[in-house]
Amino acid sequence: MMDWRQERTAREARLERARRCADGKVVPAARVVDLLEAILQPGDRVCLEGDNQKQADCLARGLSACDPARVHDLHMVQSGIVLPEHLDIFEQGIAKRLDYSYSGPQGGRIARMLYGGQIELGAVHTYLELFARYFIDLTPNVALIAGVSADRDGNLYTGPNTEDTPTVVEATAFKNGVVVAQVNAIVDRVPRVDIPGDRVDFVVEADKPFYVEPLFTRDPGAVTETQILMAMMAIKGIYAEYGIRRLNHGIGFGTAAIELLLPTYAERLGLKGRIATHWALNPHPSLIPAIESGWVKQIHCFGSEVGMDKYIRARPDVFFTGSDGSLRSNRAFCQTAGLYACDLFIGSTLQIDLQGHSSTVTTNRVAGFGGAPNMGSDPHGRRHPSDTWMKAGQEAGGTGDPALRRGRKLVVQLVETFGDKLVPAFVERLDALELAKKLDLELAPVMVYADDVTHIVTEEGIANLLLCRTLDEREQAIRGVAGYTDVGRGRDHAEVERLRARGIIRRPEDLGIEPLDADRSLLAARSIKDLVHWSGGLYEPPAKFRNW
Amino acid sequence: METLRFRHATTRPLPGTRPSAITGVVASGNLEVLLERNLPPDACHVEIDTAINGYAEVWAAVVADFVARRQPGGLTITINDGGARPDTVSLRLAQGARLMELP
Amino acid sequence: MPDKMPLDTLLASLFPAGHAVTVADGLITGEGPLNDGRLAVIGIDGDTALGIEGACLLAGRVLDVVRAGGSTPILVLVDSDSQRMSRRDELLGLNEYLAHLAKALLLADAQGHPTIGLLYGHSAAGAFIATALATRVLAALPGAHPSVMDLPSVARVTKLPLEILQDMARTTSVFAPGLDNMVQTGAVQATLDPDRPLGPQIAALIADSPAADTRDALGRERGGRPLAHAIAARVVREAQGA
Amino acid sequence: MDWKPVALSASPLAQSWYEASARARLAGLLDTDTFEEFIGPEQRMMSPHLPLFALPRAFDDGMIVGRGRLDGRDVLAAAQEGRFMGGAFGEIHGAKLVGLLRAALAVKPAAVLILFDTGGVRLQEANAGETAIAEIMRAITQVRAAGIPVIGLIGGRAGCYGGGGLIAGTCVRLVISEGGRLSVSGPEVIETNKGAEEFDSRDRALVWRTMGGKHRRLLGAADAFADDTIGAFRAAASAAIPAAPAFDLETLEAEQARLAARIARFGDARDATEIWSRLGVNDPDAVPGLTTEGFDALLDSLPEGSHDAR
């Protein structure tokens, strides 16, 4: 006789063990370790919610305080490796195997631990990819999540940083898993229900509010003339050229410069309403001047940003907000939106090779991927046309009946030819390959593959890779914008001039841009305080960005 | 510290009559460029004091491109460099040439 | 390095017939006889840091002398730390207090009260500028050790190894701490003889002191500041259209 | 594609003072094309000391001095470049300002303007820098005694620290912007010497509340508050020239009274907001967020006006 309810029975046993720590669903912070030791079994797949921003830090501290004799060999399946505790548990023997997406803040340590064999690595994913596997072969047994508040029935209010929570809960709660939420407060009535209570088994009132990192705040004071020049080229040579309305931006200073040039430079070019109207984007403070100037129709967000809550509440026509007035973000939906409904992704990178593969990996850090590879890839499942998509598809060539040709998503790499300390961004061979060898990875961690990249923008010019017809042309197009790096100086000058004549390489002067006009006075805001003034005082930057 | 000197021939003098100009600031990642109109119209000399050793080839390429593009005949260009990236150097040289061309 | 002369010994040598100089909280105030007249004394003793209260009090004493008229010289005795480094002092505007003390001394000198600094111990940074360096003529006793910053701190800021800095300090006076180096830059005009009575030496300094600021000229002569005097003179010439 | 013509060059007067170079500040501050530099960069009077430390030199040693006109009045002006060696005083840097002040006694300009942007003494030339600061302060009092106002402008990246703060305190009038900082010991220096409990130098709000332009203006440590534009500094500097108080016993006795009263009144205050509150500011916590217009209105509403006691 088959037992079709083994998982369900196991879940009930876990809940039964855990109930002694709880008053109904509510667990005091002091009993977190007891709770986790009661729920967890060796070898469990566990999602310890570590998002891009929001961190279930109280539960993370609890997990790392568990007795490794009772809780061990866990398989962690979570998007972010952000807090020290996320790695401590591997050193302690509590966790053993890891599948994840992003490890920016812990990039150095995770590389050392991978190298030292302390972590058994499944794979480094993109966000959507990991979320997808939650529903196929990496379904969590236990989810440890974070929210702002909950009622005694477990109805959960995530606040503006909803992020990954609905996806994690969906996969866990509906497949016999146990969901534990930490909240900043237990309340009689939550402002809105982001996660219905019947999906949440236990609620822990955390000892302190969960930690959120202001990841998307770029101080306009640090935007350089070179970044402004590149932003001018991107606006004139790509946004205007292709009429890009639907887009996603990376988080670097280059894209911040574009955002800050919309109400000034782009406005003077007469582009308002013709570009940059619909966004998949975190609420970047540097977009405030463009929003206030009427450029932006709407923005869907992966997560929120520290200090933007009041501003977002006051702009419901632009942002997705709940009945309570605050932002509703959702990483999985926004990633999907960025993948399928945006015509352009533009972001920075650290290294580009001669084919156009790009990577943010250095030999000593494993930063993971996050969402950029989803944004920065051409979705083969796309079927709806747009002028931008069709034009790019046309440039990419192809034969046969035009009605059978695909369009192309524009994937733009914005990169200064030299980084800090005169480190060249263009290389013959990616450091990612060294890292893969060193860590014995099957796949080198490539952020954007060469066949997805359509344009490279440097201070020397724009290379349109869609128009390249041979691998050699492609290499010379890349060398032709690689400036004075070894790669750039290794160019075939005659070939580069031929590519320029064909519009494959475009210099600032070809675009009617005088590099000497690239001046900080073009920025709609030159400081964080300017952003506050643009927002009418609604934007409240965190202390590290204030001098007042 | 390293001192580099380059001598180039140009096909024409840089337009304008200003005797000298200065642009930029000596700081980390930045440089100052002093331009003086004191050579025969078909010559351009460039002298660089740089804080970072070992980039002579890059400097040679940057200076050669600038001379080819702007034809700064008649100029002595003296640079104090605080470790600027090549694109910053190009930008300052272009800024300097434009200042010298102002009426 | 010779030991620094204790304040009591110094005052005894300066005023063999007795004096009315007292020290409270490290601040020196009072006066004593000099030649046929009086010598007003202010200063800092015991490696004390100069904060807002101290600067305010000393400045008040200097202005008292000016208000009283006449030509009583003012002696500024200095064995101080740097300015007092605290949040409170800066909150309340330490820069104004130190500048005010310096201005009071400069006003006094301009109004006929010759000011003489006598460095007999340590001094540094803002405290040094506001006191000893704000006088018409600055003398020192052997054992004095002024410094802008000690070498370990210089090493930290310049990121140069301490041993290299110590080597450089032996040949280059322009950055290294110590009395000899401040003499060479011209900041300290004279070194007094501790074995002879100080009164006549101070009186001689007053008699010989130049009305103009000759410190940069001294720096050139002594080699500690090879260019300052010529640069300043050149600016003056160019400003006059030469 | 048919591009609209784009006029990109912003007016020099609209440029940020904080971001502008020393040369750009001078060019915009003075009447157009009136600035004439003394010992210009082509004379290459560079530090003889920095090469010992393998440090790059600047043609002007970070100090630009010369003459020009401000609203038609002849002035002498000096500007520090805060990005070169933190605007610090070295031998040549300092000597140029000493010379300018001595020149003022000879050419009798309507004012001497000092555009501060300095961390204090250049450690590599510490003794020369320290002595130059003393010479500058002495020369300023002589220029002031001759009836020529010496006016300081503070709003640069490096702030006005160390000996620069003492020189500023010697000027007859000070103009400061919100970004300007005026102090002797810098936050890092205090933290290094006394610990982060005494001063957390990374707490930017604390730094500006303690040393920044608004606090200095409210305290009377600066006389005018300017927006962070070259145009605003120009207007404030021009307005400061007439009616500057003399350098005499009366002025210094007034300053003595002013500074003594400050200790009596605020000596026990823990934070700038306490001082502002005692000054009659209703909502001290809102002060840092105020726009220039809001701050000007606040200044107008306070019982204490400006003073002639510096």
Side-chain angles (χ1 to χ4, degrees), chain B residues 28-99:
Chain B
S28 175
N30 211 333
L31 73 163
E32 69 177 348
V33 178
L34 174 65
L35 308 95
E36 295 163 288
R37 209 185 292 270
N38 56 8
L39 289 180
D42 60 350
C44 175
H45 295 175
V46 181
E47 182 172 326
I48 299 141
D49 263 355
T50 174
I52 301 185
N53 300 349
Y55 284 85
E57 276 180 45
V58 175
W59 279 102
V62 172
V63 170
D65 278 357
F66 166 73
V67 172
R69 198 168 294 183
R70 289 281 185 160
Q71 292 297 320
L75 299 194
T76 298
I77 298 174
T78 320
I79 292 174
N80 286 320
D81 172 50
R85 304 189 313 192
D87 56 289
T88 309
V89 177
S90 293
L91 186 70
R92 293 278 172 266
L93 284 168
Q95 280 170 343
R98 182 155 84 168
L99 285 172

